[in-house]
């Protein structure tokens, strides 16, 4: 008789190698740094097959090599979340490798903060394309498959900026409010698909590197002095399949 050991970590079931059960398969966007990279490392250490997507494939290649050297299972493919066909190919790549998809972590995001009067309209469009369209493209690519499977989970990254607005972050906050609305609609429309929104406070990542406005950049430097490590985010989905944690807000203790 096979010994069965089951552990619930980060929202996904892992089993010991003697059970013969299939391991979970999780796709992560924006996986080349920050929250995406940290999530990939943590899940892989728990026996999850991770499929990593981002535009910077050289970083993905290094990350996958590291995960494999530690005994984990990882694959990668170039991904531009703003390109619907590219996202579809990413999902099909994962399906061809493992025959199933248990979760898609829509993590990719950008945050070039500035006051509206600066009229950085190209940066507005960039945030809308990555932060909103990227999530929608992930849903469009993954939902039909999950419906056919009869199971699946979307983990969509919002932000504390999706719950409040501060000077310089009007457009960014708008995109993160949109993630909340899209996720809630997706949850209500599907009783067989889990939908979780993670809204992190200031976190160690490269998001702030996209800020070109000097005033906003200086403010973010002060804000990030109390940053969470990216690893602190991944704990938020620690539930069995029949429990759907719909939203978690994670802040540094010192955050106001």
């Amino acid at each position: 008789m096979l010994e069965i050991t089951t552990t619930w970590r980060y929202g996904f079931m892992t089993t010991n190698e003697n059970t013969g059960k299939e391991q979970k398969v999780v796709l992560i966007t924006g996986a080349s740094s920050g929250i995406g990279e940290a999530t990939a490392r943590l899940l892989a250490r728990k026996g999850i097959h991770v499929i990593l997507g981002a535009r910077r494939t050289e970083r993905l290649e290094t990350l996958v090599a590291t995960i494999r050297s530690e005994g984990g299972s990882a694959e990668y493919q170039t991904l531009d979340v703003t390109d619907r066909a590219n996202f579809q190919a990413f999902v099909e790549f994962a399906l061809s490798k493992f025959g199933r998809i248990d979760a898609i972590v829509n993590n990719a995001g950008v945050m070039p903060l500035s006051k509206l009067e600066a009229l950085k309209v190209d940066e507005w469009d960039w945030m809308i394309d990555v932060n909103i369209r990227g999530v929608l493209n992930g849903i469009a690519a993954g939902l039909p498959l999950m419906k056919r499977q009869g199971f699946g989970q979307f983990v969509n990254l919002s932000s504390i900026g999706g719950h409040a607005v501060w000077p310089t972050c009007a457009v960014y906050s708008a995109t993160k409010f949109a993630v909340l609305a899209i996720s809630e609609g997706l949850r209500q429309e599907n009783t067989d698909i889990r939908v979780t929104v993670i809204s992190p406070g200031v976190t160690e990542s490269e998001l702030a590197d996209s800020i070109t406005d000097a005033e906003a950049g200086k403010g973010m430097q002060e804000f990030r002095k109390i940053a969470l490590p990216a690893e602190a985010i991944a704990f938020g989905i620690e539930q069995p399949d029949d429990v759907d944690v719909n939203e978690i807000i994670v802040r540094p203790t010192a955050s106001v």
Side-chain angles (χ1 to χ4, degrees), residues 86-251:
N86 193 207
F87 213 134
Q88 184 66 45
F90 179 57
V91 168
E92 290 173 358
F93 170 74
L95 189 61
S96 71
K97 289 288 184 179
F98 298 104
R100 59 186 281 167
I101 290 174
D102 294 273
I104 296 176
V105 180
N106 283 312
N107 165 72
V110 294
M111 189 183 65
L113 304 182
S114 63
K115 289 184 177 179
L116 292 171
E117 67 185 21
L119 296 180
K120 291 182 176 288
V121 293
D122 290 340
E123 293 183 355
W124 300 352
D125 289 343
W126 185 27
M127 282 187 280
I128 290 167
D129 285 343
V130 176
N131 299 355
I132 301 178
R133 199 181 310 279
V135 171
L136 289 172
N137 285 343
I139 293 169
L143 185 57
L145 170 62
M146 291 182 185
K147 296 298 286 185
R148 291 195 300 270
Q149 293 178 155
F151 64 88
Q153 181 180 18
F154 288 98
V155 181
N156 298 329
L157 269 290
S158 180
S159 166
I160 57 169
H163 297 263
V165 182
W166 297 273
T168 75
C169 73
V171 178
Y172 175 74
S173 287
T175 66
K176 293 305 185 176
F177 272 90
V179 170
L180 294 177
I182 292 165
S183 300
E184 177 61 10
L186 181 64
R187 182 194 70 80
Q188 291 185 22
E189 292 172 5
N190 297 277
T191 58
D192 52 349
I193 305 298
R194 295 199 295 166
V195 181
T196 301
V197 179
I198 305 295
S199 296
V202 59
T203 306
E204 291 176 3
S205 72
E206 296 182 355
L207 266 181
D209 295 347
S210 62
I211 299 174
T212 62
D213 184 85
E215 181 182 354
K218 183 178 179 180
M220 183 53 64
Q221 287 177 4
E222 289 298 314
F223 193 46
R224 294 185 72 179
K225 287 180 179 179
I226 57 169
L228 288 167
E231 289 82 357
I233 305 303
F235 87 95
I237 323 160
E238 194 173 20
Q239 296 295 327
D241 284 342
D242 58 351
V243 176
D244 189 5
V245 175
N246 302 129
E247 185 177 0
I248 297 175
I249 302 174
V250 184
R251 291 187 179 97

